[in-house]
Amino acid sequence: MDFKDFELIYKENRVKIKDRSKIESDLKEIVGVNNVSTKEIDLLAYTKDSTLIGFNWLLEGKIPGLADFITWPETIEQISAILKLANQEKIPVIPFGEGSGVVGGAIPIRGGIIVDMKKFNRIIGINDKDLTVTVESGTNGMNLERFLNAKGYTCGHIPQSLYTSSVGGWIAHRAAGQFSTKYGKIEDMVLGMELILPQGEIIKFKTIARASTGPQFDKLFIGGEGTLGIVTEATLKIWPYPEKRTFISYAFPTFEDSLEATRQILRQQIYPAVIRIYDADETFRHFGHIEKAIDKVMVVFICEGNGRLVDLEELITKETCEKNNGVECGEEPVEHWFETRFKVTDTSSTPTFKMVFDTIEIGFLWDKASDMYHSVVEATKKVKGIVLITAHVSHFYPNGVGFYFTFAGVPPKEKTNLEFYQEVWNTVIKTVEDYGGSFGHHHGVGINRSKWMPVEWGKSFNTLKKIKKVLDPNNILNPGKIYESPWKEGGEN
Ligand SMILES: Cc1cc2nc3c(=O)[nH]c(=O)nc-3n(C[C@H](O)[C@H](O)[C@H](O)COP(=O)(O)OP(=O)(O)OC[C@H]3O[C@@H](n4cnc5c(N)ncnc54)[C@H](O)[C@@H]3O)c2cc1C
């Protein structure tokens, strides 16, 4: 194998390393000879994250980004020293969790040093009275959840990527798990954190239930996407493992009925751990075998926790669904979802049919949620080559919801896969922004959305850029993301 055989997608502004062998030996000095690699096989493994168009590129012999060095540090001092070296030599550093990000956040588009957090995988301990777990940031999500379950707890953060994502990646992308309506999102769970700033300074936010000691500076780093600091340790909230779990499902005649029922449930301060509304197309795709759901909109609920409270939540959830034209479909649809919730074979099979496929999740208030949904579907259907645009709603608040659109299409002859992909992404985001929504609910900004940051943030984006400049004057930590976009208007990249 030779890298000459691959076409590099993101090649602009790549950093030229002057003395490669000197940097390699400096890195070996810092982390040890076995924790640095420049082997092609390792460099190749870190060319991408799980951005779905990456599967198409893989089949076409294209790679999105190419790092110069891969490192696996084992201590915070080593990471600090790597960052100091990188600042001195002006080399990009890209933190890497498990590469399950779907917006290009971990792709080394300017080259440089990958800091893989794999070896930060210790679960330091549980505090039963405080209901916390302290964990190193490279810890795999499923390993953490299994550890907690065995001791009678849950973290409550169960993303679909639980088996393939790390605690640091969750914090960096402000992730949300499928049980988030009860347990909250990652930003609700982080009580304390240790991280290393771009110039190598190690800082620690102490673990506390709540404090009024100035602005919530720690929150700046939740969603920083590895551009403002490298998270090395976090203390998260945990919960006693639920005593009871109830499965409920209803089919509704219209999408609007399903939204109204769930909105009213939240308004009564009932927080089922899981709520998922599937539009008619997705209901057909996932629940086509359920007769009562034919041509309907399926909603699945899981209520869990204290048994007596769960019984009451179940009662109110069912009453509210029935008041809004829901037809009870029993436990089976929820069991089906529960059994298949980590199965994502669709995502890797579509590129073999030369299709471009992806998902786009967005945040919205209740008020115009239904109008926004229909407008996104209508606008996206007009993109030449589109074959499928559907949605489910998977995150719920008394004030709003998180929608999750899925699209697939075959790019027309005059367009590359990336041009088609960008056109769909931009169509969805423009429609959502025009309606006043937020272009991302839990997958982050990365490459795919950075072009839209000035629209999403308005004038405050300039302030965010100033903060980045203060913390990272040499722009070495994960450059080319969030604050700048490698996507040109209508162009290939
Ligand atoms: C099939 C599938 C299902 C998914 N389901 C969900 C879901 O239900 N909910 C959800 O929120 N997301 C989901 N995702 C997206 C993804 O899993 C999350 O974004 C996850 O948080 C990324 O974690 P990671 O460890 O893989 O991070 P990576 O992909 O390795 O990195 C993501 C970003 O975080 C940065 N980073 C990584 N580690 C650190 C660190 N220690 N310090 C600072 N920055 C760091 C990287 O530089 C990059 O910018 C899904 C992805 C896939 C492929």
Side-chain angles (χ1 to χ4, degrees):
M1 186 200 72
D2 191 321
F3 279 121
K4 286 199 300 295
D5 300 333
F6 289 100
E7 184 188 326
L8 189 57
I9 300 278
Y10 295 115
K11 44 186 171 267
E12 276 183 22
N13 302 319
R14 270 183 66 77
V15 164
K16 288 201 174 57
I17 313 267
K18 278 176 245 136
D19 191 345
R20 207 168 267 280
S21 55
K22 155 119 187 9
I23 305 292
E24 186 175 341
S25 78
D26 286 350
L27 286 170
K28 285 182 174 161
E29 185 87 0
I30 294 169
V31 291
V33 282
N34 294 328
N35 284 333
V36 179
S37 177
T38 54
K39 286 186 199 149
E40 287 193 342
I41 190 72
D42 289 325
L43 296 177
L44 188 63
Y46 293 86
T47 52
K48 61 179 184 63
D49 63 357
S50 300
T51 309
L52 295 187
I53 194 171
F55 288 114
N56 299 79
W57 289 334
L58 199 65
L59 295 175
E60 294 165 13
K62 295 177 178 173
I63 53 175
L66 185 59
D68 298 280
F69 310 95
I70 314 297
T71 65
W72 296 275
E74 294 176 1
T75 67
I76 50 175
E77 290 75 19
Q78 290 175 355
I79 298 181
S80 170
I82 293 174
L83 287 166
K84 284 178 183 156
L85 172 70
N87 271 282
Q88 194 185 301
E89 303 291 336
K90 312 281 186 293
I91 302 174
V93 171
I94 306 93
F96 197 96
E98 299 215 4
S100 73
V102 284
V103 288
I107 299 176
I109 58 175
R110 303 257 167 98
I113 306 165
I114 294 272
V115 170
D116 185 336
M117 297 302 290
K118 210 178 247 87
K119 296 199 173 177
F120 280 71
N121 62 358
R122 270 186 329 130
I123 299 175
I124 295 160
I126 289 175
N127 185 319
D128 172 70
K129 215 162 199 179
D130 295 343
L131 275 180
T132 61
V133 63
T134 299
V135 61
E136 287 185 338
S137 66
T139 303
N140 169 272
M142 192 62 189
N143 288 349
L144 174 61
E145 186 60 19
R146 279 202 184 115
F147 173 86
L148 291 172
N149 292 172
K151 296 196 172 333
Y153 305 93
T154 177
C155 178
H157 186 76
I158 316 289
Q160 192 187 29
S161 55
L162 186 69
Y163 286 83
T164 57
S165 57
S166 69
V167 171
W170 297 346
I171 294 173
H173 270 336
R174 281 178 79 87
Q178 294 171 327
F179 288 56
S180 74
T181 302
K182 181 180 180 74
Y183 297 103
K185 283 70 192 166
I186 196 68
E187 70 274 17
D188 305 312
M189 300 173 182
V190 177
L191 296 181
M193 197 165 45
E194 176 188 75
L195 59 109
I196 308 178
L197 296 177
Q199 298 186 82
E201 192 185 340
I202 300 165
I203 62 171
K204 194 157 185 162
F205 296 107
K206 73 172 160 195
T207 300
I208 200 83
R210 206 261 171 183
S212 168
T213 51
Q216 279 191 289
F217 186 39
D218 52 337
K219 292 282 190 242
L220 179 68
F221 300 92
I222 303 178
E225 305 198 5
T227 67
L228 300 176
I230 301 185
V231 180
T232 48
E233 190 186 294
T235 300
L236 307 176
K237 283 184 195 169
I238 54 171
W239 301 94
Y241 196 79
E243 178 187 302
K244 182 170 182 181
R245 184 173 270 166
T246 303
F247 289 176
I248 306 162
S249 75
Y250 275 82
F252 290 84
T254 67
F255 196 56
E256 283 65 29
D257 285 327
S258 71
L259 285 173
E260 189 53 22
T262 49
R263 189 182 70 81
Q264 287 177 15
I265 289 167
L266 271 289
R267 207 178 164 91
Q268 295 170 82
Q269 299 187 43
I270 300 298
Y271 296 96
V274 176
I275 310 181
R276 299 175 71 84
I277 299 178
Y278 295 86
D279 74 2
D281 287 338
E282 292 208 8
T283 297
F284 177 70
R285 194 151 83 230
H286 298 292
F287 304 101
H289 59 292
I290 309 281
E291 202 161 326
K292 285 185 194 164
I294 291 171
D295 293 332
K296 299 277 189 315
V297 170
M298 175 62 87
V299 184
V300 299
F301 300 92
I302 298 179
C303 295
E304 64 177 39
N306 174 289
R308 283 182 296 161
L309 289 178
V310 168
D311 290 345
L312 192 56
E313 285 182 350
E314 180 180 1
L315 184 76
I316 295 172
T317 299
K318 286 184 168 175
E319 274 175 12
T320 312
C321 287
E322 277 153 30
K323 259 191 230 152
N324 287 280
N325 310 318
V327 173
E328 192 172 1
C329 295
E331 294 188 359
E332 209 259 295
V334 199
E335 277 161 8
H336 173 70
W337 173 77
F338 199 78
E339 290 304 314
T340 55
R341 68 202 155 121
F342 298 120
K343 186 172 164 273
V344 288
T345 42
D346 294 359
T347 53
S348 50
S349 59
T350 43
T352 57
F353 302 106
K354 298 210 183 315
M355 290 185 98
V356 173
F357 176 96
D358 208 353
T359 62
I360 306 177
E361 26 59 65
I362 60 99
F364 219 81
L365 291 167
W366 279 115
D367 198 11
K368 292 192 208 122
S370 165
D371 295 347
M372 180 279 307
Y373 159 75
H374 290 294
S375 299
V376 167
V377 170
E378 283 317 306
T380 311
K381 276 184 179 164
K382 289 187 190 137
V383 175
K384 198 170 161 193
I386 203 82
V387 173
L388 171 149
I389 170 79
T390 62
H392 59 261
V393 194
S394 46
H395 299 278
F396 291 80
Y397 311 83
N399 324 88
V401 270
F403 274 77
Y404 196 98
F405 290 98
T406 296
F407 74 83
V410 182
K413 280 202 179 63
E414 65 277 14
K415 288 220 155 96
T416 63
N417 283 342
L418 182 57
E419 282 167 343
F420 170 76
Y421 183 75
Q422 289 174 335
E423 191 180 351
V424 180
W425 266 86
N426 289 335
T427 302
V428 173
I429 292 181
K430 181 172 185 326
T431 313
V432 172
E433 289 287 339
D434 286 350
Y435 267 90
S438 180
F439 68 47
H441 180 269
H442 58 266
H443 284 165
V445 180
I447 292 172
N448 291 16
R449 292 176 165 129
S450 47
K451 195 180 120 171
W452 289 90
M453 282 296 276
V455 179
E456 171 83 10
W457 279 62
K459 276 193 186 154
S460 48
F461 187 46
N462 289 333
T463 312
L464 182 66
K465 287 204 272 196
K466 282 182 197 155
I467 293 172
K468 165 73 174 170
K469 185 93 188 147
V470 168
L471 291 177
D472 187 9
N474 296 316
N475 193 22
I476 60 116
L477 203 49
N478 209 0
K481 320 280 169 66
I482 297 193
Y483 318 93
E484 46 194 320
S485 174
W487 279 16
K488 286 184 195 137
E489 202 67 54
E492 170 73 1
N493 57 55

